[in-house]
Amino acid sequence: LNMSNIFEKIGGEAAVDAVVECFYGKNTTDPRVKQFFGSIDLPKLKNHQRRFITQVTGGAKLYSGRTMKAAHNHLRLTNAHFNAIADNLQSAMEELKVAPEHIKEIMAVVETTRGDIVNTPDEQ
């Protein structure tokens, strides 16, 4: 995937900021995943997320945080949790009128992180 122009096409830093705010608004109120955000340093997490999205969409290489695996290892995350978070990100981008083709490309990158984030089998 060539993400080099997506950052500018979606509106640059202002758009990433808006998506991150909307995304965490959804995550912190979503009964499927809100338990993961209750006692977390949300401003710090949002900052990491902004840097990560900026980098994966072709903006500046700002993200210097832990690997996805290390950052999520202490959480018991299932495929259902991953899907809920991914739904919230896609929904945030749709609400903010990010073009469907850009959403599709960004979500394809998100999907590549599933193996590093999901670490617990889904409950039967």
Side-chain angles (χ1 to χ4, degrees):
L1 286 171
N2 179 7
M3 300 295 278
S4 61
N5 301 327
I6 301 284
F7 179 74
E8 294 304 329
K9 286 180 182 167
I10 66 171
E13 193 176 332
V16 171
D17 286 349
V19 166
V20 168
E21 287 302 318
C22 185
F23 174 51
Y24 282 102
K26 292 175 180 298
N27 288 337
T28 56
T29 57
D30 184 335
R32 300 172 296 175
V33 292
K34 67 182 181 183
Q35 69 272 23
F36 296 112
F37 299 95
S39 60
I40 202 158
D41 181 346
L42 214 49
K44 182 179 176 186
L45 183 60
K46 287 178 181 178
N47 194 37
H48 280 304
Q49 189 70 47
R50 276 193 290 276
R51 290 171 173 211
F52 180 72
I53 292 174
T54 296
Q55 185 167 315
V56 301
T57 57
K61 301 263 185 279
L62 300 170
Y63 185 76
S64 60
R66 294 178 291 170
T67 64
M68 283 290 154
K69 195 170 192 76
H72 296 87
N73 216 19
H74 64 291
L75 303 169
R76 292 177 48 83
L77 296 170
T78 65
N79 278 300
H81 295 136
F82 185 95
N83 294 341
I85 299 281
D87 288 348
N88 290 340
L89 179 59
Q90 182 164 340
S91 173
M93 290 189 287
E94 287 168 352
E95 278 180 34
L96 293 162
K97 309 285 189 260
V98 174
E101 65 270 21
H102 300 326
I103 293 175
K104 189 175 173 196
E105 290 181 61
I106 292 167
M107 294 312 295
V109 173
V110 167
E111 186 57 42
T112 68
T113 67
R114 183 184 294 267
D116 286 334
I117 293 175
V118 173
N119 55 28
T120 304
D122 284 289
E123 290 161 16
Q124 300 302 323

